[in-house]
Amino acid sequence: MKAFTYERAATPAEAAAAALRTPGAKFIAGGTNLLDLMKLEIETPRHLIDVNRVGLDKIEDTAEGGLRVGALVRNTDLAAHPRVRRDYGVLTRALVSGASGQLRNKATTGGNLLQRTRCPYFYDTAKPCNKRKPGSGCAAIGGFNRGLAVIGTSEACIAQHPSDMAVAMRVLDAAVETVKPDGAARTIAIADFHKLPGTTPHIENALEPGELITAVTLPAPVAGTHIYRKVRDRASYAFALVSVAAVVPRDGPARIAMGGVAPKPWRVEGAESGDDAGYGKRLLAGAKPTQQNAFKLPLAERTVTAVLAEARS
């Protein structure tokens, strides 16, 4: 691990100001992904700004009937919150399917949105990776890519997005609140928060340098059956090969977002009209799998079909 300096911020504004003072600094909260990346020297910040004590750890009702989740709310606490369990069941189910209990006790809402791909070549600093080092190439294309993305990819990158929580938030139409280093606040629809790789796979989200996530807002609850189904190689502590977050009303079209198949939580609003039988194919139209991960297409379609059948029964 490279040497770095450290400071602890007391407020979001203080954290943002510290980021402005020190270009290239990183915020740290739970550290469940960042510290691993620092040990491997994939991330080498010269300065860390600890935001654990800036007061962003509350879950509050909104005037619109939704919920505002502070960026530092731990995954365990969010999953167990009474309103989340009652009104946003798909989110609770997604959270408890991710990582281990110990990790969920440390991981934060904001950090979960920012966790980086688990592509094996991203973590192998001896191999080229356009996401880790822009312009160096992509060892995953033509390499071992069984777990990687099948849709939304580019010739520069086929890495997949790893979060379960973000898939549920995508189906719930969450919004991400931030504060910039100059103190300005903004709100980003989660549909626009994560970026597809294109020719710049190292740019993974809409945050500007030094911009801090302060909260995630959930709209008023959507009626229907909430399901999160995660298909993986073993029963626990594994990332999704395919996951499906669904909110299915008694009658009418279902909302579905998928994980494990794309560089971002994958939802296609245009696919939500039409019959259930073709839903999976509509979601994955235009997919470009490799020989090794082509199995994800029928796996994803069957998982969507199974989720819809369970919800409609």
Side-chain angles (χ1 to χ4, degrees), residues 33-50:
N33 191 200
L34 178 60
L35 290 178
D36 283 345
L37 295 171
M38 290 175 66
K39 290 173 186 173
L40 294 169
E41 298 188 357
I42 295 168
E43 294 273 12
T44 56
R46 292 182 299 167
H47 186 67
L48 288 183
I49 304 166
D50 187 336

Side-chain angles (χ1 to χ4, degrees), residues 65 83 86-90 93 171-173 219-227 246-256 267 272 311-312:
R83 269 212 69 194
R86 187 189 70 194
D87 296 334
Y88 305 96
V90 64
R93 294 180 176 94
V171 86
L172 293 170
D173 281 334
V222 179
T225 301
H226 288 221
I227 295 176
V247 179
V248 187
R250 181 176 295 276
D251 299 303
R255 296 183 181 198
I256 288 182
R267 181 180 173 194
E272 294 173 6
R312 303 286 194 198

Side-chain angles (χ1 to χ4, degrees), residues 288-305:
K288 295 179 179 177
T290 69
Q291 185 175 11
Q292 292 178 26
N293 67 14
F295 74 95
K296 284 192 174 188
L297 295 183
L299 179 63
E301 291 173 18
R302 290 167 189 165
T303 306
V304 169
T305 299

Side-chain angles (χ1 to χ4, degrees), residues 92-114:
T92 286
R93 294 180 176 94
L95 284 162
V96 299
S97 75
S100 65
Q102 288 176 315
L103 285 169
R104 293 195 295 270
N105 288 342
K106 291 295 293 180
T108 62
T109 300
N112 196 311
L113 289 175
L114 298 176

